Short mmCIF file of all heavy atoms in Angstrom, two decimals:
data_model
loop_
_atom_site.label_atom_id
_atom_site.label_comp_id
_atom_site.label_asym_id
_atom_site.label_seq_id
_atom_site.Cartn_x
_atom_site.Cartn_y
_atom_site.Cartn_z
N GLY A 118 40.04 93.19 -7.72
CA GLY A 118 39.51 92.09 -6.92
C GLY A 118 39.86 90.71 -7.41
O GLY A 118 39.53 89.72 -6.76
N GLY A 119 40.52 90.61 -8.56
CA GLY A 119 40.93 89.31 -9.04
C GLY A 119 42.04 88.72 -8.20
O GLY A 119 42.61 89.40 -7.33
N GLY A 120 42.35 87.46 -8.47
CA GLY A 120 43.43 86.80 -7.72
C GLY A 120 43.37 85.31 -7.86
O GLY A 120 42.68 84.77 -8.73
N LEU A 121 44.12 84.65 -6.98
CA LEU A 121 44.20 83.19 -6.96
C LEU A 121 43.37 82.68 -5.80
O LEU A 121 43.51 83.15 -4.67
CB LEU A 121 45.66 82.76 -6.81
CG LEU A 121 45.92 81.28 -6.62
CD1 LEU A 121 45.49 80.49 -7.85
CD2 LEU A 121 47.41 81.05 -6.32
N VAL A 122 42.52 81.70 -6.07
CA VAL A 122 41.66 81.14 -5.04
C VAL A 122 41.52 79.64 -5.29
O VAL A 122 41.61 79.18 -6.44
CB VAL A 122 40.27 81.83 -5.04
CG1 VAL A 122 39.54 81.59 -6.34
CG2 VAL A 122 39.44 81.43 -3.85
N GLN A 123 41.30 78.88 -4.23
CA GLN A 123 41.08 77.45 -4.38
C GLN A 123 39.66 77.17 -4.83
O GLN A 123 38.74 77.96 -4.56
CB GLN A 123 41.36 76.75 -3.06
CG GLN A 123 42.83 76.68 -2.68
CD GLN A 123 43.07 75.78 -1.48
OE1 GLN A 123 42.22 75.61 -0.63
NE2 GLN A 123 44.27 75.20 -1.42
N ALA A 124 39.48 76.05 -5.47
CA ALA A 124 38.14 75.62 -5.88
C ALA A 124 37.21 75.60 -4.67
O ALA A 124 37.61 75.16 -3.59
CB ALA A 124 38.20 74.26 -6.54
N GLY A 125 36.00 76.10 -4.87
CA GLY A 125 35.04 76.21 -3.78
C GLY A 125 35.07 77.54 -3.07
O GLY A 125 34.17 77.85 -2.28
N GLY A 126 36.09 78.32 -3.34
CA GLY A 126 36.23 79.61 -2.69
C GLY A 126 35.43 80.71 -3.36
O GLY A 126 34.67 80.46 -4.30
N SER A 127 35.63 81.93 -2.86
CA SER A 127 34.88 83.09 -3.35
C SER A 127 35.80 84.26 -3.64
O SER A 127 36.87 84.39 -3.03
CB SER A 127 33.85 83.53 -2.30
OG SER A 127 32.90 82.52 -2.04
N LEU A 128 35.37 85.10 -4.55
CA LEU A 128 36.02 86.37 -4.84
C LEU A 128 34.93 87.38 -5.18
O LEU A 128 33.87 87.01 -5.69
CB LEU A 128 36.97 86.27 -6.03
CG LEU A 128 38.34 85.63 -5.86
CD1 LEU A 128 39.04 85.53 -7.20
CD2 LEU A 128 39.19 86.42 -4.87
N ARG A 129 35.21 88.65 -4.94
CA ARG A 129 34.31 89.71 -5.38
C ARG A 129 35.09 90.67 -6.25
O ARG A 129 36.06 91.29 -5.79
CB ARG A 129 33.68 90.47 -4.22
CG ARG A 129 32.60 91.44 -4.71
CD ARG A 129 31.84 92.13 -3.61
NE ARG A 129 32.51 93.30 -3.09
CZ ARG A 129 31.91 94.34 -2.52
NH1 ARG A 129 30.59 94.33 -2.41
NH2 ARG A 129 32.61 95.35 -2.04
N LEU A 130 34.66 90.78 -7.48
CA LEU A 130 35.25 91.73 -8.41
C LEU A 130 34.51 93.06 -8.31
O LEU A 130 33.29 93.09 -8.12
CB LEU A 130 35.18 91.22 -9.84
CG LEU A 130 35.79 89.84 -10.11
CD1 LEU A 130 35.70 89.53 -11.60
CD2 LEU A 130 37.20 89.76 -9.61
N SER A 131 35.25 94.14 -8.46
CA SER A 131 34.66 95.48 -8.51
C SER A 131 35.08 96.15 -9.80
O SER A 131 36.14 95.87 -10.35
CB SER A 131 35.15 96.32 -7.32
OG SER A 131 34.78 95.74 -6.10
N CYS A 132 34.24 97.06 -10.26
CA CYS A 132 34.55 97.84 -11.45
C CYS A 132 34.13 99.27 -11.19
O CYS A 132 32.93 99.56 -11.05
CB CYS A 132 33.82 97.28 -12.66
SG CYS A 132 33.92 98.33 -14.13
N ALA A 133 35.12 100.15 -11.10
CA ALA A 133 34.85 101.57 -10.87
C ALA A 133 34.77 102.28 -12.21
O ALA A 133 35.70 102.19 -13.02
CB ALA A 133 35.95 102.17 -10.01
N ALA A 134 33.67 102.99 -12.43
CA ALA A 134 33.44 103.66 -13.70
C ALA A 134 33.57 105.17 -13.55
O ALA A 134 33.21 105.75 -12.52
CB ALA A 134 32.06 103.32 -14.23
N SER A 135 34.09 105.81 -14.58
CA SER A 135 34.18 107.27 -14.62
C SER A 135 33.98 107.74 -16.06
O SER A 135 34.08 106.96 -17.00
CB SER A 135 35.52 107.76 -14.07
OG SER A 135 36.58 107.23 -14.84
N GLY A 136 33.67 109.03 -16.19
CA GLY A 136 33.50 109.60 -17.52
C GLY A 136 32.13 109.38 -18.12
O GLY A 136 31.94 109.60 -19.33
N LEU A 137 31.17 108.96 -17.30
CA LEU A 137 29.81 108.74 -17.78
C LEU A 137 28.83 108.92 -16.63
O LEU A 137 29.25 108.91 -15.46
CB LEU A 137 29.64 107.34 -18.38
CG LEU A 137 29.53 106.14 -17.43
CD1 LEU A 137 29.09 104.90 -18.21
CD2 LEU A 137 30.79 105.86 -16.68
N THR A 138 27.56 109.13 -16.98
CA THR A 138 26.52 109.15 -15.96
C THR A 138 26.15 107.71 -15.68
O THR A 138 25.26 107.13 -16.31
CB THR A 138 25.30 109.97 -16.44
OG1 THR A 138 25.74 111.27 -16.85
CG2 THR A 138 24.28 110.10 -15.32
N PHE A 139 26.85 107.13 -14.73
CA PHE A 139 26.85 105.69 -14.50
C PHE A 139 25.44 105.13 -14.35
O PHE A 139 25.12 104.07 -14.89
CB PHE A 139 27.70 105.39 -13.27
CG PHE A 139 27.78 103.95 -12.90
CD1 PHE A 139 28.60 103.08 -13.60
CD2 PHE A 139 27.06 103.45 -11.82
CE1 PHE A 139 28.70 101.74 -13.26
CE2 PHE A 139 27.14 102.12 -11.46
CZ PHE A 139 27.97 101.26 -12.18
N SER A 140 24.61 105.84 -13.61
CA SER A 140 23.28 105.32 -13.28
C SER A 140 22.36 105.18 -14.49
O SER A 140 21.28 104.62 -14.37
CB SER A 140 22.62 106.22 -12.23
OG SER A 140 22.47 107.53 -12.74
N MET A 141 22.78 105.67 -15.64
CA MET A 141 21.95 105.59 -16.84
C MET A 141 22.17 104.32 -17.65
O MET A 141 21.38 104.01 -18.54
CB MET A 141 22.23 106.80 -17.75
CG MET A 141 21.78 108.12 -17.20
SD MET A 141 22.17 109.47 -18.35
CE MET A 141 21.22 109.00 -19.77
N TYR A 142 23.25 103.59 -17.35
CA TYR A 142 23.69 102.55 -18.27
C TYR A 142 23.62 101.14 -17.72
O TYR A 142 23.92 100.87 -16.55
CB TYR A 142 25.13 102.82 -18.70
CG TYR A 142 25.26 104.08 -19.51
CD1 TYR A 142 25.63 105.28 -18.92
CD2 TYR A 142 25.00 104.07 -20.88
CE1 TYR A 142 25.72 106.44 -19.66
CE2 TYR A 142 25.09 105.22 -21.63
CZ TYR A 142 25.46 106.40 -21.02
OH TYR A 142 25.55 107.55 -21.77
N THR A 143 23.25 100.22 -18.62
CA THR A 143 23.41 98.79 -18.37
C THR A 143 24.89 98.48 -18.26
O THR A 143 25.70 99.02 -19.01
CB THR A 143 22.79 98.00 -19.53
OG1 THR A 143 21.38 98.22 -19.55
CG2 THR A 143 23.06 96.52 -19.39
N MET A 144 25.21 97.61 -17.31
CA MET A 144 26.60 97.18 -17.11
C MET A 144 26.68 95.66 -17.13
O MET A 144 25.67 94.98 -16.91
CB MET A 144 27.14 97.71 -15.78
CG MET A 144 27.15 99.22 -15.65
SD MET A 144 28.27 100.05 -16.79
CE MET A 144 29.85 99.46 -16.19
N GLY A 145 27.85 95.14 -17.37
CA GLY A 145 27.97 93.69 -17.42
C GLY A 145 29.39 93.21 -17.20
O GLY A 145 30.32 94.02 -17.00
N TRP A 146 29.53 91.89 -17.26
CA TRP A 146 30.83 91.23 -17.15
C TRP A 146 30.95 90.18 -18.25
O TRP A 146 30.00 89.45 -18.54
CB TRP A 146 30.98 90.55 -15.79
CG TRP A 146 31.08 91.50 -14.64
CD1 TRP A 146 30.05 91.99 -13.89
CD2 TRP A 146 32.28 92.07 -14.10
NE1 TRP A 146 30.52 92.83 -12.92
CE2 TRP A 146 31.89 92.90 -13.01
CE3 TRP A 146 33.63 91.97 -14.40
CZ2 TRP A 146 32.82 93.61 -12.25
CZ3 TRP A 146 34.55 92.67 -13.65
CH2 TRP A 146 34.14 93.48 -12.58
N PHE A 147 32.13 90.13 -18.83
CA PHE A 147 32.52 89.06 -19.75
C PHE A 147 33.77 88.41 -19.17
O PHE A 147 34.40 88.94 -18.26
CB PHE A 147 32.86 89.64 -21.13
CG PHE A 147 31.66 89.82 -22.03
CD1 PHE A 147 30.71 90.78 -21.74
CD2 PHE A 147 31.50 89.05 -23.17
CE1 PHE A 147 29.60 90.96 -22.56
CE2 PHE A 147 30.40 89.23 -24.00
CZ PHE A 147 29.45 90.18 -23.70
N ARG A 148 34.15 87.28 -19.73
CA ARG A 148 35.41 86.64 -19.35
C ARG A 148 36.01 85.94 -20.55
O ARG A 148 35.32 85.60 -21.50
CB ARG A 148 35.20 85.66 -18.20
CG ARG A 148 34.39 84.42 -18.56
CD ARG A 148 34.16 83.58 -17.31
NE ARG A 148 33.41 82.36 -17.61
CZ ARG A 148 33.01 81.49 -16.70
NH1 ARG A 148 33.26 81.71 -15.40
NH2 ARG A 148 32.34 80.41 -17.06
N GLN A 149 37.34 85.77 -20.46
CA GLN A 149 38.06 85.07 -21.53
C GLN A 149 39.08 84.14 -20.89
O GLN A 149 40.02 84.60 -20.22
CB GLN A 149 38.74 86.04 -22.48
CG GLN A 149 39.35 85.35 -23.69
CD GLN A 149 39.76 86.34 -24.77
OE1 GLN A 149 39.97 87.52 -24.51
NE2 GLN A 149 39.85 85.85 -25.99
N ALA A 150 38.87 82.86 -21.11
CA ALA A 150 39.80 81.84 -20.62
C ALA A 150 40.91 81.65 -21.65
O ALA A 150 40.72 81.93 -22.83
CB ALA A 150 39.05 80.54 -20.38
N PRO A 151 42.05 81.13 -21.22
CA PRO A 151 43.16 80.91 -22.14
C PRO A 151 42.75 80.03 -23.32
O PRO A 151 42.16 78.96 -23.12
CB PRO A 151 44.21 80.21 -21.27
CG PRO A 151 43.89 80.62 -19.89
CD PRO A 151 42.40 80.77 -19.83
N GLY A 152 43.03 80.50 -24.52
CA GLY A 152 42.74 79.72 -25.71
C GLY A 152 41.28 79.68 -26.12
O GLY A 152 40.91 78.95 -27.04
N LYS A 153 40.44 80.45 -25.42
CA LYS A 153 39.02 80.44 -25.72
C LYS A 153 38.52 81.83 -26.10
O LYS A 153 39.19 82.83 -25.84
CB LYS A 153 38.22 79.92 -24.52
CG LYS A 153 38.50 78.47 -24.19
CD LYS A 153 37.53 77.97 -23.13
CE LYS A 153 37.75 76.49 -22.85
NZ LYS A 153 36.78 75.97 -21.84
N GLU A 154 37.35 81.87 -26.71
CA GLU A 154 36.75 83.15 -27.06
C GLU A 154 36.18 83.82 -25.81
O GLU A 154 35.85 83.17 -24.83
CB GLU A 154 35.64 82.95 -28.10
CG GLU A 154 36.14 82.47 -29.44
CD GLU A 154 35.04 82.44 -30.49
OE1 GLU A 154 33.87 82.64 -30.13
OE2 GLU A 154 35.36 82.20 -31.66
N ARG A 155 36.05 85.14 -25.90
CA ARG A 155 35.45 85.89 -24.82
C ARG A 155 33.97 85.49 -24.71
O ARG A 155 33.30 85.31 -25.73
CB ARG A 155 35.56 87.39 -25.12
CG ARG A 155 35.52 88.28 -23.92
CD ARG A 155 35.87 89.70 -24.30
NE ARG A 155 37.27 89.84 -24.63
CZ ARG A 155 37.82 91.02 -24.92
NH1 ARG A 155 37.08 92.11 -24.95
NH2 ARG A 155 39.10 91.11 -25.19
N GLU A 156 33.48 85.35 -23.48
CA GLU A 156 32.11 84.91 -23.29
C GLU A 156 31.37 85.78 -22.28
O GLU A 156 31.96 86.30 -21.33
CB GLU A 156 32.04 83.44 -22.84
CG GLU A 156 32.62 83.16 -21.48
CD GLU A 156 32.35 81.74 -21.00
OE1 GLU A 156 31.61 81.00 -21.65
OE2 GLU A 156 32.88 81.39 -19.93
N PHE A 157 30.09 85.91 -22.51
CA PHE A 157 29.21 86.66 -21.64
C PHE A 157 29.07 85.97 -20.28
O PHE A 157 28.97 84.74 -20.22
CB PHE A 157 27.83 86.78 -22.30
CG PHE A 157 26.74 87.25 -21.40
CD1 PHE A 157 26.67 88.58 -21.00
CD2 PHE A 157 25.80 86.37 -20.92
CE1 PHE A 157 25.67 89.02 -20.16
CE2 PHE A 157 24.78 86.79 -20.08
CZ PHE A 157 24.71 88.11 -19.70
N VAL A 158 29.06 86.76 -19.21
CA VAL A 158 28.90 86.23 -17.86
C VAL A 158 27.60 86.71 -17.23
O VAL A 158 26.78 85.91 -16.79
CB VAL A 158 30.09 86.62 -16.97
CG1 VAL A 158 29.85 86.18 -15.52
CG2 VAL A 158 31.40 86.04 -17.51
N ALA A 159 27.42 88.04 -17.16
CA ALA A 159 26.25 88.58 -16.46
C ALA A 159 26.02 90.01 -16.90
O ALA A 159 26.93 90.70 -17.36
CB ALA A 159 26.45 88.53 -14.95
N VAL A 160 24.76 90.47 -16.71
CA VAL A 160 24.40 91.83 -17.06
C VAL A 160 23.42 92.37 -16.01
O VAL A 160 22.69 91.59 -15.39
CB VAL A 160 23.77 91.88 -18.47
CG1 VAL A 160 22.45 91.13 -18.51
CG2 VAL A 160 23.60 93.31 -18.96
N ILE A 161 23.43 93.68 -15.81
CA ILE A 161 22.53 94.31 -14.86
C ILE A 161 22.01 95.62 -15.45
O ILE A 161 22.74 96.35 -16.10
CB ILE A 161 23.26 94.56 -13.51
CG1 ILE A 161 22.28 95.05 -12.44
CG2 ILE A 161 24.43 95.51 -13.66
CD1 ILE A 161 22.86 95.00 -11.02
N SER A 162 20.73 95.88 -15.24
CA SER A 162 20.11 97.08 -15.78
C SER A 162 20.58 98.32 -15.01
O SER A 162 21.19 98.22 -13.95
CB SER A 162 18.59 96.97 -15.70
OG SER A 162 18.17 96.85 -14.34
N TRP A 163 20.24 99.49 -15.52
CA TRP A 163 20.70 100.74 -14.93
C TRP A 163 20.27 100.88 -13.47
O TRP A 163 21.00 101.42 -12.65
CB TRP A 163 20.19 101.93 -15.75
CG TRP A 163 18.70 102.05 -15.76
CD1 TRP A 163 17.83 101.48 -16.63
CD2 TRP A 163 17.88 102.77 -14.82
NE1 TRP A 163 16.53 101.80 -16.31
CE2 TRP A 163 16.53 102.60 -15.21
CE3 TRP A 163 18.17 103.56 -13.70
CZ2 TRP A 163 15.48 103.18 -14.51
CZ3 TRP A 163 17.12 104.14 -13.01
CH2 TRP A 163 15.80 103.94 -13.42
N SER A 164 19.09 100.37 -13.15
CA SER A 164 18.57 100.51 -11.79
C SER A 164 19.02 99.38 -10.87
O SER A 164 18.88 99.46 -9.65
CB SER A 164 17.05 100.53 -11.82
OG SER A 164 16.55 99.26 -12.22
#
Side-chain angles (χ1 to χ4, degrees):
L121 173 64
V122 64
Q123 288 189 332
S127 298
L128 283 175
R129 187 174 84 154
L130 305 184
S131 299
C132 171
S135 60
L137 76 169
T138 306
F139 179 77
S140 61
M141 292 180 62
Y142 294 96
T143 295
M144 300 294 295
W146 292 91
F147 275 68
R148 68 185 181 184
Q149 187 168 22
K153 294 189 177 181
E154 293 187 352
R155 204 170 289 184
E156 65 172 353
F157 167 74
V158 174
V160 66
I161 187 167
S162 62
W163 63 271
S164 68

